[in-house]
């Protein structure tokens, strides 16, 4: 039986680390990417536990490095290409106090990098069985759901990447590639903080089920970890 393969970015901690663990435990081949895998002790421990985890150094905003990794993996069909690496940016600011350079940095990681990753690995995804590209977004990127204001930097980066996902779902449909945007919930991670509502395990349990089942019928949708559809 041929093993299914998933490539995940941002696997050194939080949701990315738990995604790596759960897919490895489900006997998937996991191509786990992060900026400094040699310093990611939890990820190293997982790779020691599961022989089906392969570690790769990848800064998602270094597009030469992205292209080089794609070339290295050019003969590897990738069933799921999952953009998880993200940046929240500064906290505690409000209207009148937005740092434009910080905004650019977050947009680079959260919005531009997922598209560049998709462009770099589209051939490998097209050569697979499941043919799925997924992006970890956030419900705060929903325009319809924004009742609280603020959060200009992170909100806008996720709103923009949702548009990227929607366009990819249209453009890649002729290749039978499905593309989805996922909200993991408010998760107890370094980004989500200790007061978040759910654990990484609960979030990833739901995300994994969506990822395993997603296909053309879900393509172009914005989905919560529990399967609910989120308005754009």
């Amino acid at each position: 039986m041929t093993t299914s393969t998933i490539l995940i970015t941002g696997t050194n901690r939080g949701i990315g680390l738990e995604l790596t663990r759960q897919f490895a435990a489900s006997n998937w081949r996991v191509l786990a990417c992060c900026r400094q895998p040699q310093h990611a002790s939890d990820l190293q421990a997982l790779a020691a536990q599961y022989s089906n985890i392969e570690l790769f150094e990848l800064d998602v905003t270094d597009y030469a490095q992205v292209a080089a990794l794609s070339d290295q993996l050019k003969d590897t069909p990738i069933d799921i290409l999952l953009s998880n690496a993200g940046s929240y940016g500064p906290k505690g600011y409000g209207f009148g106090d937005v740092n434009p350079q910080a905004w650019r940095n977050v947009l680079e990681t959260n919005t531009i990098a997922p598209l560049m990753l998709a462009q770099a690995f589209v051939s490998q995804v097209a050569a697979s069985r499941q043919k799925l590209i997924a992006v970890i977004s956030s419900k705060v990127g929903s325009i319809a759901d924004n009742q609280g204001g603020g959060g200009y930097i992170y909100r806008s980066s996720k709103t923009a990447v949702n548009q990227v996902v929607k366009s990819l779902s249209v453009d890649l449909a002729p290749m039978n590639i499905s593309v989805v945007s996922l909200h993991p919930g408010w998760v107890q991670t370094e980004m989500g903080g200790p007061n978040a509502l759910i654990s990484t395990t609960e979030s990833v349990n739901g995300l994994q089920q969506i990822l395993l089942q997603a296909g053309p019928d879900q393509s172009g949708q914005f989905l919560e970890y529990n399967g609910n559809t989120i308005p754009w």
Side-chain angles (χ1 to χ4, degrees):
M1 180 177 175
T2 304
T3 302
S4 297
T5 300
I6 183 170
L7 186 150
I8 310 171
T9 64
T11 57
N12 56 305
R13 66 188 186 195
I15 293 169
L17 183 69
E18 181 63 15
L19 282 162
T20 300
R21 187 191 71 77
Q22 289 199 23
F23 272 94
S26 299
N27 296 317
W28 278 59
R29 180 186 179 189
V30 183
L31 311 178
C33 304
C34 66
R35 286 179 293 182
Q36 296 181 309
Q38 69 274 20
H39 298 309
S41 57
D42 291 340
L43 182 59
Q44 292 278 357
L46 264 187
Q49 181 181 356
Y50 293 100
S51 61
N52 48 328
I53 297 176
E54 301 168 45
L55 305 186
F56 297 92
E57 181 177 337
L58 185 67
D59 178 343
V60 296
T61 65
D62 183 340
Y63 304 126
Q65 192 178 49
V66 171
L69 182 59
S70 175
D71 187 61
Q72 181 181 344
L73 298 171
K74 64 181 183 296
D75 296 323
T76 301
I78 295 174
D79 292 271
I80 302 176
L81 181 71
L82 178 53
S83 282
N84 167 72
S87 173
Y88 190 85
K91 297 181 180 180
Y93 70 93
F95 176 73
D97 190 31
V98 177
N99 183 315
Q101 188 54 54
W103 198 349
R104 293 184 188 100
N105 293 341
V106 172
L107 287 168
E108 189 77 50
T109 301
N110 292 358
T111 305
I112 300 173
L115 176 60
M116 300 304 288
L117 192 77
Q119 289 184 161
F121 284 93
V122 67
S123 296
Q124 291 92 326
V125 176
S128 75
R129 286 173 295 172
Q130 189 170 349
K131 299 179 174 61
L132 178 67
I133 295 175
V135 176
I136 299 296
S137 182
S138 173
K139 193 174 185 178
V140 300
S142 167
I143 293 173
D145 190 66
N146 184 358
Q147 304 299 318
Y152 296 97
I153 292 176
Y154 188 68
R155 278 189 189 278
S156 63
S157 74
K158 293 304 187 179
T159 304
V161 82
N162 286 347
Q163 186 69 282
V164 168
V165 165
K166 186 64 177 179
S167 284
L168 281 173
S169 73
V170 175
D171 294 342
L172 301 185
M175 302 174 71
N176 296 316
I177 294 175
S178 302
V179 191
V180 294
S181 185
L182 301 174
H183 170 55
W186 187 15
V187 187
Q188 296 158 4
T189 61
E190 184 173 319
M191 185 182 292
N195 297 321
L197 298 178
I198 61 172
S199 67
T200 53
T201 301
E202 183 179 352
S203 172
V204 172
N205 282 342
L207 292 173
Q208 187 185 40
Q209 289 307 305
I210 294 172
L211 290 165
L212 292 174
Q213 298 168 12
D217 289 345
Q218 290 75 37
S219 193
Q221 293 187 11
F222 187 12
L223 300 169
E224 196 166 1
Y225 75 99
N226 58 13
N228 292 338
T229 300
I230 301 172
W232 296 114

